[in-house]
Amino acid sequence: NAGVTQTPKFRILKIGQSMTLQCTQDMNHNYMYWYRQDPGMGLKLIYYSVGAGITDKGEVPNGYNVSRSTTEDFPLRLELAAPSQTSVYFCASRSSVETQYFGPGTRLLVL
Amino acid sequence: DQQVKQNSPSLSVQEGRISILNCDYTNSMFDYFLWYKKYPAEGPTFLISISSIKDKNEDGRFTVFLNKSAKHLSLHIVPSQPGDSAVYFCAATTWAGGTSYGKLTFGQGTILTVHP
């Protein structure tokens, strides 16, 4: 059982480049989330989705975009990478409040 | 505005003793609280939760206490084991009415080190 998978595990971007962080879950969960974690800080919500075709902004959405064309996939897009987007990105999905399953994370470095 | 705060960045405990991790919140709309555990290079994993209608929830070695009047919760680990060494995050959400969509607000985390 794969759970929540994220690719890539690590990426270095130059300022102004774009990239898509992939997230896939195989648990048929409707709810999916993207968080970022900066050093010494807690996780902050970027975007979330309550089902295919429905997305909404979280606490820190600026500089990011998402789409949810299927139940399984919830990609996060960075259009113009900035050093402030250097962080670890976690995708999660859930069936109920306490069972929010997290992926292993993508470490992004923007130089 | 940090709505969920963990004021102790780190905690060091001897194996077999009690570990107490603390968390404070400011948003009175929060009514459901969770603790997550995170190992390096892994995503957080759910540990234990508590609803605001309770003041205590226990699961094996882990107990969470909630003091609503003080807007404070704590996680007790008894006895502590070296395998408990990890970062512990407190999180909160508004569950009543079902409009939170499961969005969690996290504290900064506390690094727990349990020495053999």
Side-chain angles (χ1 to χ4, degrees), chain A residues 18-87:
Chain A
S18 62
M19 76 165 292
T20 298
L21 283 69
Q22 301 293 345
C23 175
T24 300
Q25 53 96 3
D26 63 358
M27 296 171 282
N28 202 33
H29 290 166
N30 284 325
Y31 294 82
M32 295 188 74
Y33 311 85
W34 273 106
Y35 294 89
R36 59 176 285 174
Q37 184 193 8
D38 299 328
M41 303 295 289
L43 283 73
K44 293 188 183 295
L45 183 66
I46 305 171
Y47 270 95
Y48 68 101
S49 170
V50 301
I54 307 170
T55 63
D56 205 350
K57 297 177 181 178
E59 185 183 354
V60 289
N62 291 343
Y64 307 95
N65 278 300
V66 294
S67 60
R68 184 94 182 273
S69 57
T70 66
T71 298
E72 294 77 22
D73 300 306
F74 190 38
L76 178 71
R77 179 83 177 161
L78 283 72
E79 290 294 349
L80 292 169
S84 61
Q85 293 178 305
T86 292
S87 190

Side-chain angles (χ1 to χ4, degrees), chain B residues 89-102:
Chain B
F89 290 100
C90 168
T93 189
T94 303
W95 186 236
T99 59
S100 74
Y101 305 117

Side-chain angles (χ1 to χ4, degrees), chain B:
Chain B
D1 177 29
Q2 191 79 23
Q3 298 187 66
V4 178
K5 293 183 182 179
Q6 293 175 255
N7 292 317
S8 298
S10 62
L11 175 67
S12 183
V13 171
Q14 205 68 29
E15 180 179 7
R17 307 294 293 269
I18 184 172
S19 296
I20 300 177
L21 295 95
N22 294 302
C23 178
D24 297 295
Y25 62 97
T26 58
N27 188 340
S28 57
M29 297 300 290
F30 289 145
D31 57 10
Y32 199 86
F33 305 89
L34 308 92
W35 285 93
Y36 279 82
K37 177 179 180 180
K38 184 183 179 304
Y39 292 116
E42 294 184 10
T45 55
F46 169 74
L47 192 57
I48 193 169
S49 62
I50 188 167
S51 164
S52 60
I53 63 173
K54 295 185 176 181
D55 54 17
K56 175 183 175 182
N57 189 26
E58 196 170 352
D59 183 2
R61 296 186 297 113
F62 302 92
T63 303
V64 57
F65 295 92
L66 175 63
N67 182 334
K68 283 190 298 181
S69 61
K71 293 190 174 68
H72 176 84
L73 63 155
S74 60
L75 175 67
H76 293 210
I77 306 174
V78 184
S80 301
Q81 300 172 354
D84 296 330
S85 297
V87 180
Y88 289 78
F89 290 100
C90 168
T93 189
T94 303
W95 186 236
T99 59
S100 74
Y101 305 117
K103 294 181 289 182
L104 298 177
T105 300
F106 283 85
Q108 308 96 306
T110 297
I111 301 171
L112 173 65
T113 303
V114 181
H115 298 283

